[in-house]
Amino acid sequence: MELPVIDLAPYLEICSDELDSHIKSMCLEVSRTLRETGALLVKDPRCTAEDNDKFIDMMEKYFQQPEEFKRLQERPHLHYQVGVTPEGVEVPRSLVDEEMKEKLKAMPKEYQPSSPSGPDPKWRYMWRVGPRPKITRFKELNSEPVIPEGFPEWKCTMDSWGYKMISAVESVAEMAAIGFGLSKDAFTSLMQQGPHLLAPTGSDLRRYGKEGTVFAGYHYDLNFLTIHGRSRFPGLSIWLRNGLKMEVKVPVGCLLIQAGKQIEWLTAGECMAGMHEVVVTNRTTDAIKRALEQNCSLWRVSSTLFAHIASDAVLKPLGHFSDSSLASKYPPICAGEYVEQELAVINLKGNKGA
């Protein structure tokens, strides 16, 4: 099975709230695919392959810096919500969540995730995207960004790619809302001034390029929607709602969207948070060989952005989803409080769950 690619261009071109049958069918396709797979491929004319390459080029250059340089951007007292998170800090939920462990044992062998031996061997950089609320109960989730020395293009590149990806998420959120039978702004109105995070990861394939190495253990994302540009090294697998495991192939110029826990909350489980992992596969090792031949970087960079519901907004089933028989499983809670609870479950407030 391949994920469908949704071209956002026709939706972006509409000039009124009146939607023709083609746009409505696109919206239904977005909501159906998110419901069934927890993921979606999109093509957005505002987010080009060149934009993605420029961003990855800079992040490769950064992650190649010595460890002592990168640790200058570490902010553990802010729960790693800004700046760099070193390898060995993020702990996959599948290692610490006993309920999840039991579910994994019950899965058919061929669909079971890889078993990590400890914390993820990847670095991550967290960069806030978008305006912050002037008044908020969740200050550390809305902290000032950290800029490494020697990268004059850093802020411009991070902001440019971050804002473009947020724009793509907002369009998908509108289309999903329409497809789910909600108002167009049902989701996006709650995203305003959210603690959106551009959060690229860096994995050193020279050290950790052996097939079977787990870079991101089996987990779901705790935010609203996650968006990725295409990585130069494959390795991401997702689990569909029916339990099947699928390796994701992102075409050049496309973006991958994944459902997080907050959209599950807002739809009373109609759209479940997608489970996924990143593991070195035979396709990854093939890409490593090609990179060596071409003298290219062996850092696997993911251009990941976590789009969040605003910290002070209330998560609860929206519209007709409040009448769902499952609505009681999703009681009202502030999004910021929910994020803090999720991080506390895994005993490490630095873990982004993604």
Side-chain angles (χ1 to χ4, degrees), residues 131 133 135-136 138 141-142 187-196 224 262 266 307-315 333-339:
I135 302 172
T136 177
F138 304 96
L141 295 180
N142 298 279
F187 297 137
T188 53
S189 61
L190 297 174
M191 291 172 61
Q192 301 306 309
Q193 297 191 337
H196 312 307
F224 173 61
Q262 291 175 346
L266 297 171
H308 278 260
I309 297 303
S311 301
D312 296 278
V314 176
L315 291 176
I333 183 172
C334 262
E337 186 180 346
Y338 169 74
V339 168

Side-chain angles (χ1 to χ4, degrees), residues 177-289:
I178 293 166
F180 281 129
L182 302 171
S183 63
K184 174 182 170 180
D185 67 347
F187 297 137
T188 53
S189 61
L190 297 174
M191 291 172 61
Q192 301 306 309
Q193 297 191 337
H196 312 307
L197 289 164
L198 182 56
T201 62
S203 306
D204 187 354
L205 294 170
R206 285 191 188 275
R207 294 177 61 199
Y208 303 112
K210 183 181 177 183
E211 189 169 342
T213 301
V214 181
F215 282 125
Y218 181 82
H219 67 283
Y220 59 74
D221 291 346
L222 55 81
N223 53 298
F224 173 61
L225 290 174
T226 302
I227 183 168
H228 313 264
R230 185 176 187 269
S231 175
R232 290 170 178 167
F233 297 91
L236 174 68
S237 291
I238 65 172
W239 276 258
L240 308 182
R241 190 158 185 158
N242 62 11
L244 297 181
K245 180 181 179 181
M246 184 178 83
E247 188 171 2
V248 177
K249 298 173 183 176
V250 181
V252 174
C254 290
L255 303 162
L256 173 69
I257 305 263
Q258 290 178 281
K261 205 68 176 177
Q262 291 175 346
I263 193 172
E264 178 180 328
W265 213 276
L266 297 171
T267 62
E270 178 79 4
C271 180
M272 299 288 287
M275 305 304 299
H276 51 286
E277 68 177 9
V278 180
V279 177
V280 176
T281 66
N282 60 347
R283 289 181 64 230
T284 318
T285 56
D286 288 345
I288 291 172
K289 290 171 189 170

Side-chain angles (χ1 to χ4, degrees), residues 52-106:
N52 189 47
D53 285 341
K54 181 181 178 183
F55 175 78
I56 290 180
D57 287 345
M58 185 184 77
M59 293 313 304
E60 286 178 347
K61 180 182 170 187
Y62 172 77
F63 286 125
Q64 286 165 0
Q65 300 301 309
E67 180 171 335
E68 56 269 24
F69 171 82
K70 289 183 286 194
R71 284 189 176 270
L72 294 174
Q73 290 85 55
E74 189 179 6
R75 299 292 185 272
H77 63 288
L78 294 175
H79 309 151
Y80 296 103
Q81 290 297 301
V82 292
V84 78
T85 305
E87 64 180 57
V89 172
E90 293 191 11
V91 179
R93 197 180 184 104
S94 55
L95 268 186
V96 295
D97 188 324
E98 294 302 324
E99 183 181 347
M100 184 178 286
K101 287 182 183 179
E102 291 304 312
K103 286 181 180 177
L104 298 187
K105 287 179 186 174

Side-chain angles (χ1 to χ4, degrees), residues 18-29 175 178-179:
E18 290 296 318
L19 305 179
D20 62 30
S21 58
H22 174 59
I23 298 297
K24 286 178 182 175
S25 68
M26 284 177 59
C27 294
L28 288 169
E29 176 76 349
M175 295 174 76
I178 293 166

Side-chain angles (χ1 to χ4, degrees), residues 316-331:
K316 63 181 180 180
L318 300 177
H320 62 88
F321 291 121
S322 63
D323 299 323
S324 165
S325 59
L326 298 177
S328 61
K329 289 180 60 180
Y330 302 95

